[in-house]
Amino acid sequence: MTSTGILPGVLIIVILIALIIGTEIAAIFMYPVYKKANAPQKWFAFIPVLSILPLFSVAKMSRWWFLLMLGLGGATVASESGTLHTPNAHMPVLYYVFAVLSSSFSFYVTRRVFKSFAVPNWVVWTLLILLICELLMHINVILTLIVSLVVLASAVILIVYWCRMAWGKFYYDASRIS
């Protein structure tokens, strides 16, 4: 048993199930976007972790950038994992460094995708607000409650525009990416 009272095997299974379910829900929105952009291996949208690979094709970036994204995500999780057993511990500075780098890179890639679909700039900045709020949520509970409202509003806006990219009026044009 861990200090959280959960068997490690059960915890791993729960995490894997959450990863698979999350990937499949995301695929509902990502696959049509990949299809409109004529991305290679668009069916990767249904495979956990690899679901992001076609996103780099849509953003007109080398797929080698996936390794940077994977490394930053792994470093963020690894730097946070030391605090899982002690919920009152403050997050290490290294966590925030990796989280900011990871969020910045995710913002850059997503911005390129949105730009290729001619999504308005204010929607892209809504994504940045969402990423900043995610970082702020680790500071304390009261700030988390306040920021959660901003996150909810930002998430609704982004979901609406992602749906419009997937099934609506926005059309992919790679020439819009500079």
Side-chain angles (χ1 to χ4, degrees):
M1 285 253 214
T2 64
S3 62
T4 59
I6 300 173
L7 293 171
V10 173
L11 187 61
I12 290 172
I13 290 171
V14 169
I15 290 171
L16 287 174
I17 290 172
L19 179 67
I20 291 169
I21 290 172
T23 301
E24 300 315 310
I25 290 171
I28 294 169
F29 299 99
M30 294 174 81
Y31 183 79
V33 170
Y34 294 165
K35 191 172 179 182
K36 272 188 172 182
N38 201 17
Q41 291 103 15
K42 49 190 141 284
W43 54 272
F44 276 7
F46 300 99
I47 302 173
V49 180
L50 294 180
S51 62
I52 299 171
L53 268 174
L55 192 65
F56 290 101
S57 297
V58 175
K60 291 294 181 203
M61 297 174 68
S62 169
R63 287 185 172 205
W64 287 103
W65 286 104
F66 174 73
L67 295 176
L68 175 64
M69 183 174 273
L70 198 62
L72 286 172
T76 304
V77 169
S79 64
E80 184 181 24
S81 66
T83 62
L84 290 178
H85 299 298
T86 54
N88 294 331
H90 295 286
M91 288 293 190
V93 173
L94 197 56
Y95 165 78
Y96 287 108
V97 170
F98 285 127
V100 166
L101 288 173
S102 182
S103 294
S104 300
F105 186 64
S106 297
F107 173 73
Y108 175 72
V109 173
T110 307
R111 182 182 165 275
R112 289 178 62 96
V113 171
F114 280 5
K115 192 174 184 180
S116 69
F117 278 93
V119 171
N121 278 335
W122 69 269
V123 176
V124 176
W125 291 106
T126 303
L127 171 66
L128 184 61
I129 291 169
L130 183 71
L131 293 172
I132 290 171
C133 288
E134 180 184 344
L135 290 173
L136 292 175
M137 282 184 179
H138 289 283
I139 295 175
N140 69 31
V141 176
I142 295 172
L143 187 60
T144 299
L145 294 173
I146 295 168
V147 171
S148 292
L149 297 172
V150 175
V151 167
L152 184 61
S154 299
V156 167
I157 291 169
L158 290 169
I159 288 171
V160 165
Y161 272 87
W162 197 272
C163 288
R164 290 180 72 190
M165 281 175 20
W167 300 290
K169 72 171 199 162
F170 293 112
Y171 297 98
Y172 180 76
D173 182 4
S175 67
R176 293 183 187 127
I177 303 173
S178 55

